[in-house]
Amino acid sequence: MKKSFVSILAVGAAATLALTGCSAGGGSGSESDTIKVAYQKFGAFVQVDNHMKAVKEAFEAEHEGITVELVPIEAQENDYATKLALMNRSAATAPDIMYVDTFRVQPDSDAGYLAPLDEYTAEWSDWDNFYENAKSAGLGSDGKTYGIPMGTDTRALWYNKDLFAEAGLPVPFEPKTWQDVLDAAATIKAELPDVIPLNVYSGKAQGEAASMQGFEMLLYGTEDTLYDADSQKWVLGSQGFIDSLGFIEDVYQGGLGPTPEQALDKNVGNLVSSEWLPQGTLAMDLDGSWLSGTWIDGGTAPWPEWNDVMGQAAMPTQEGQAPGATSMSGGWTLAMGADSANKDAAWDLIALALNKENSQAYDIAASQIAVRSDVSEDPTYQEANPTFGFFSEIVEFTHFRPATSDYAQISSEITVAMEAVMTGQQTPEEAAAAYDEAVIGIVGEDATTSAE
Amino acid sequence: MSAPTTARQNDRLGREKPSPRPRRPHAATHRSFLRAVPLLPAVILLAVFLLGPVISSFYGSLTDSSLSGASAQDSRFVGLDNYSALFADADFPKSILLTLLFLVASAIVGQNVLGLGLALLMRSSNRVVRSLVGTLVVTAWVLPEIVAAFAAYAFFNDSGTLNNMLGAVGIDGPNWLYTLPMLSVILANVWRGTAFSMLVYAAALQDVPPEITESAEVDGAHGWQRLIFITIPMIRRSISTNLMLTTLQTLSVFTLIFVMTGGGPGTDSSTLPVLAYQEAFQFGQLGFGTAIATIMLLVGAVFSIAYIRVLKPEVD
């Protein structure tokens, strides 16, 4: 009996060795004349796909013998991040270039998935045209540059002027407090019962869209914050956190939003931009500056009248406290895989994709706020989209997400708290307490501070 | 400690020395080893594909491995931290209860009882009914899981087939997937899995010799008595095998629940596989998710041992 057990172990060990040998061999075998580019493509979001197709053509014409392999990953934001991380775990599947959200640059560089780009940017004359704050969004925790920003964004309330006029609400809509927003939603509910008054992304299925477009747009308009950057501690037990969850509760349990079931559908983002807003079944939407990218010429749901129908209002602070409005900014970058077999060619592709001309084309197509001074000052860019002016103005109120490696996990906990509240399973106080406990579990008690 | 060992060694040496057949045990070992050689490929395959993943899953559950961040590169050994965090997590006991509810209601009660009932009824029905019912039931089994899941989603959805049918007779049906998520996924799993039990039982019932049932009938046993005292004990082995297979299959049902409710609303239908997926691949905590998967392995093992013990399939 003992002998057979030992022999099984020996066999197991031998097999493990053999398998390890295989995987190590597989890693070094990737072709250096192919550059693999991984990015997200989901529903109405096709702008990176279009951009990369154009860049691929230009690059292959310029570099003979190098093939650009495009790997569009069709998944919602968080699923995209998961699939990309799984690809990155093995050198055999890792892409050479990838499309990475700024808040994932730090954890992904800590994980060893990304290659530092400093030696390339040092010799890249275009780099001086990038704004400093945009450059810092691509830094890893070691201070090196890992991501080259493609554009940035801000968030605000989009509202349907026709529906507002029909419900007897003033246009332009200029809410001063959260209550003004909820009151307008209640008026719409009373006057236009078939219309969804207000959409605020919420719940686990929406991932980062729920934490950033939803929760943080509320929290950063209260007296409290998520993370104290000076002491580098996460803020727990704050009234602002409970009040923000209270707003979510008012919207979903008060019947002012989509039904919780609609809101928990992974596809709701596509529904909002391609159906609900163009068809006039949603009156207000707390969403990103990029939204019009779906409706402009070349978008997935062209809507020529969009600028006549849709208005924008800055999201007010909770009680109207200074500075009166709030916003959140993020943005995406192009990064290089740490195991890329042909880093020089990969860099050439990134530099081509984000030169002045291509950055401008992408920022216009995807309705991004430019991060290059030569693009934002270009009249063609300024005139391309009538909302660029509004969304660039609210940059003055904007906030950035905590630049730490733990943010991604904590963001997930925020969506858990939102879902518990929007489905009525927990009160805002209970959900906030559960969140506090989860954050302590992630970063440890020492990295947190109490709001009092 | 050393004294008894030496004594035993001396004892053994003393016994072996005068023995006239010192080589025989050696030869026997040699022969049995030679005989085991043809088993080697099978043992290697088992070790690589069954034992390997179990060991690596268990080891993974003792690390802080994650999808991103520093611990994706060098994961640390954290001992039982994942397990203690798991048992402190309020979602976990709820998830265990939901898993057991799903298991008992859809596999043990639903699929087995319904499958046996259908098999019994089909034995005494005519050929047309038999082939019609058989085809309908097996259709659900033939569908790939993802197709069955979408079909069930379309059926239970707020504006789906079920509510349309209820609406036709004037009943305003609830939003099944949202208000009654567990009931919906249990019914869907019963629908999908009953065919398997029915086929197993139909085959088992054919092996019950008709003369035994007939003699029981002559002795005055009614239908129920014949079922409980004759048929069920005679198909005991099939019941045990079938219970084990459906239990293990149901324990690992993921696609059906994930497509229909996504484990929600909130955590109201997060069974262990859905919870493990969520922790590992949505929240990126691979080690923590693996700990949940290991617990699932234990739950499956407990059920399997219970079935083998209680129904004693090997003794007749």
Side-chain angles (χ1 to χ4, degrees):
Chain A
M1 191 63 198
K2 199 174 236 172
K3 196 169 262 174
S4 70
F5 182 68
V6 170
S7 66
I8 287 173
L9 274 187
V11 163
T16 316
L17 280 178
L19 282 183
T20 324
C22 286
S23 66
S28 55
S30 64
E31 300 269 320
S32 63
D33 53 1
T34 302
I35 300 200
K36 195 152 64 165
V37 187
Y39 54 86
Q40 185 199 13
K41 178 189 178 196
F42 183 57
F45 181 68
V46 295
Q47 287 92 353
V48 177
D49 189 41
N50 293 337
H51 188 63
M52 285 303 169
K53 279 179 184 157
V55 171
K56 169 187 158 83
E57 209 164 293
F59 185 84
E60 284 175 350
E62 225 171 275
H63 297 72
E64 213 158 301
I66 297 184
T67 317
V68 178
E69 185 193 342
L70 300 182
V71 187
I73 298 177
E74 305 223 15
Q76 178 268 351
E77 232 168 273
N78 275 25
D79 294 342
Y80 166 70
T82 300
K83 290 188 178 187
L84 190 62
L86 289 173
M87 282 172 87
N88 275 322
R89 282 177 81 82
S90 157
T93 53
D96 297 286
I97 295 174
M98 59 200 107
Y99 172 70
V100 182
D101 197 334
T102 43
F103 86 93
R104 293 197 192 271
V105 169
Q106 277 210 16
D108 281 358
S109 65
D110 284 350
Y113 297 156
L114 308 182
L117 300 173
D118 299 72
E119 54 175 297
Y120 295 108
T121 54
E123 290 166 14
W124 192 35
S125 55
D126 290 33
W127 194 228
D128 295 334
N129 291 314
F130 285 76
Y131 293 122
E132 278 310 313
N133 59 356
K135 284 182 183 175
S136 66
L139 295 180
S141 44
D142 54 3
K144 290 182 185 160
T145 296
Y146 288 92
I148 308 297
M150 304 179 75
T152 181
D153 44 38
T154 50
R155 285 146 181 79
L157 279 168
W158 290 79
Y159 64 98
N160 186 314
K161 292 187 248 182
D162 295 353
L163 292 176
F164 265 57
E166 230 176 289
L169 287 163
V171 175
F173 179 46
E174 284 168 339
K176 298 276 177 280
T177 63
W178 287 2
Q179 199 53 49
D180 290 352
V181 176
L182 292 172
D183 287 346
T187 308
I188 303 238
K189 184 182 160 75
E191 300 290 327
L192 306 166
D194 294 337
V195 171
I196 302 167
L198 168 64
N199 173 55
V200 179
Y201 292 110
S202 179
K204 287 181 284 195
Q206 308 316 326
E208 186 58 15
S211 344
M212 195 176 184
Q213 272 94 280
F215 189 81
E216 287 158 23
M217 282 297 284
L218 296 164
L219 180 65
Y220 281 88
T222 69
E223 297 297 328
D224 295 298
T225 180
L226 198 58
Y227 177 73
D228 183 359
D230 295 331
S231 64
Q232 302 202 330
K233 285 174 195 275
W234 294 89
V235 180
L236 300 183
S238 75
Q239 189 58 41
F241 197 96
I242 295 172
D243 291 347
S244 305
L245 288 175
F247 188 95
I248 297 294
E249 189 183 35
D250 289 344
V251 170
Y252 284 97
Q253 291 290 306
L256 298 178
T259 64
E261 198 204 14
Q262 285 172 323
L264 294 175
D265 185 338
K266 286 205 177 207
N267 219 17
V268 76
N270 288 323
L271 283 177
V272 165
S273 61
S274 316
E275 292 181 21
W276 292 357
L277 286 173
Q279 291 168 6
T281 51
L282 172 63
M284 271 185 281
D285 179 30
L286 188 53
D287 216 317
S289 49
W290 60 83
L291 199 58
S292 57
T294 310
W295 306 322
I296 58 177
D297 221 15
T300 49
W303 179 23
E305 306 82 24
W306 72 270
N307 192 41
D308 302 325
V309 179
M310 297 304 297
Q312 300 85 34
M315 180 66 190
T317 50
Q318 184 178 13
E319 308 286 353
Q321 60 261 60
T326 184
S327 187
M328 294 295 300
S329 287
W332 290 70
T333 65
L334 286 184
M336 193 193 291
D339 293 317
S340 173
N342 193 346
K343 289 205 167 76
D344 292 343
W347 169 256
D348 287 349
L349 183 63
I350 293 178
L352 175 68
L354 295 178
N355 65 17
K356 152 88 178 24
E357 194 187 332
N358 286 330
S359 282
Q360 180 163 324
Y362 176 73
D363 289 345
I364 291 174
S367 296
Q368 294 280 305
I369 296 172
V371 287
R372 289 179 64 122
S373 55
D374 49 358
V375 173
S376 63
E377 285 155 13
D378 192 308
T380 329
Y381 170 77
Q382 288 167 351
E383 286 155 20
N385 189 318
T387 64
F388 282 169
F390 169 81
F391 283 110
S392 303
E393 269 168 37
I394 58 174
V395 166
E396 88 176 88
F397 315 116
T398 207
H399 299 90
F400 295 91
R401 288 166 289 185
T404 83
S405 201
D406 300 316
Y407 172 75
Q409 278 184 33
I410 287 171
S411 163
S412 298
E413 295 301 335
I414 293 176
T415 65
V416 171
M418 291 176 96
E419 186 158 329
V421 167
M422 72 192 279
T423 55
Q425 287 175 354
Q426 287 179 331
T427 64
E429 285 80 6
E430 289 165 352
Y435 164 83
D436 290 353
E437 214 170 280
V439 172
I440 291 174
I442 294 169
V443 298
E445 188 118 42
D446 295 342
T448 62
T449 175
S450 179
E452 277 96 338
Chain B
M1 195 58 206
S2 68
T5 321
T6 341
R8 208 159 54 214
Q9 274 169 352
N10 288 344
D11 199 29
R12 201 192 295 156
L13 286 172
R15 224 183 17 218
E16 275 177 9
K17 252 180 196 166
S19 167
R21 318 158 280 186
R23 265 187 233 145
R24 208 181 149 197
H26 185 73
T29 330
H30 192 69
R31 202 164 54 228
S32 69
F33 181 74
L34 271 179
R35 281 179 184 161
V37 165
L39 287 174
L40 211 59
V43 172
I44 292 176
L45 286 176
L46 277 175
V48 172
F49 293 106
L50 288 174
L51 195 65
V54 170
I55 291 173
S56 103
S57 142
F58 185 68
Y59 176 74
S61 73
L62 303 177
T63 67
D64 68 346
S65 168
S66 67
L67 268 186
S68 191
S71 49
Q73 190 160 232
D74 338 84
S75 56
R76 268 179 323 122
F77 183 81
V78 294
L80 294 174
D81 277 12
N82 284 327
Y83 291 94
S84 56
L86 192 57
F87 285 105
D89 191 337
D91 287 344
F92 181 64
K94 182 175 174 184
S95 180
I96 290 258
L97 284 178
L98 289 174
T99 309
L100 291 178
L101 173 68
F102 185 64
L103 204 59
V104 171
S106 78
I108 300 177
V109 176
Q111 293 182 8
N112 272 281
V113 172
L114 202 62
L116 182 59
L118 279 172
L120 284 167
L121 286 175
M122 277 171 68
R123 203 172 44 158
S124 52
S125 62
N126 68 47
R127 190 184 294 161
V128 179
V129 174
R130 196 155 52 212
S131 57
L132 204 68
V133 173
T135 313
L136 279 177
V137 174
V138 173
T139 307
W141 179 248
V142 169
L143 292 178
E145 193 175 7
I146 184 76
V147 179
F150 276 117
Y153 175 81
F155 183 75
F156 286 107
N157 188 12
D158 196 21
S159 51
T161 319
L162 180 58
N163 277 351
N164 275 325
M165 282 176 0
L166 290 175
V169 292
I171 303 172
D172 195 13
N175 187 346
W176 296 93
L177 297 173
Y178 187 71
T179 48
L180 298 162
M182 278 314 281
L183 182 69
S184 309
V185 294
I186 286 170
L187 289 177
N189 194 44
V190 170
W191 164 68
R192 180 172 151 68
T194 300
F196 180 78
S197 299
M198 188 190 82
L199 294 176
V200 170
Y201 288 134
L205 288 175
Q206 273 171 8
D207 288 344
V208 177
E211 40 290 7
I212 298 183
T213 331
E214 274 162 23
S215 62
E217 210 172 345
V218 171
D219 288 345
H222 299 298
W224 277 110
Q225 289 170 323
R226 284 206 303 276
L227 175 69
I228 290 168
F229 296 113
I230 306 295
T231 314
I232 288 186
M234 294 206 67
I235 60 167
R236 195 181 67 233
R237 274 185 287 183
S238 300
I239 294 179
S240 156
T241 312
N242 190 51
L243 270 175
M244 192 151 23
L245 288 174
T246 49
T247 300
L248 296 181
Q249 214 156 41
T250 301
L251 195 62
S252 60
V253 165
F254 170 76
T255 316
L256 197 70
I257 301 178
F258 193 70
V259 169
M260 287 178 68
T261 67
T267 52
D268 279 359
S269 60
S270 287
T271 56
L272 288 174
V274 177
L275 192 69
Y277 172 84
Q278 180 185 305
E279 292 296 343
F281 296 113
Q282 279 182 300
F283 298 172
Q285 295 166 291
L286 290 180
F288 193 67
T290 314
I292 301 175
T294 308
I295 299 277
M296 230 156 63
L297 205 71
L298 291 179
V299 174
V302 166
F303 270 92
S304 308
I305 292 169
Y307 290 145
I308 292 173
R309 282 288 148 101
V310 172
L311 292 153
K312 295 197 183 66
E314 75 279 11
V315 190
D316 212 4

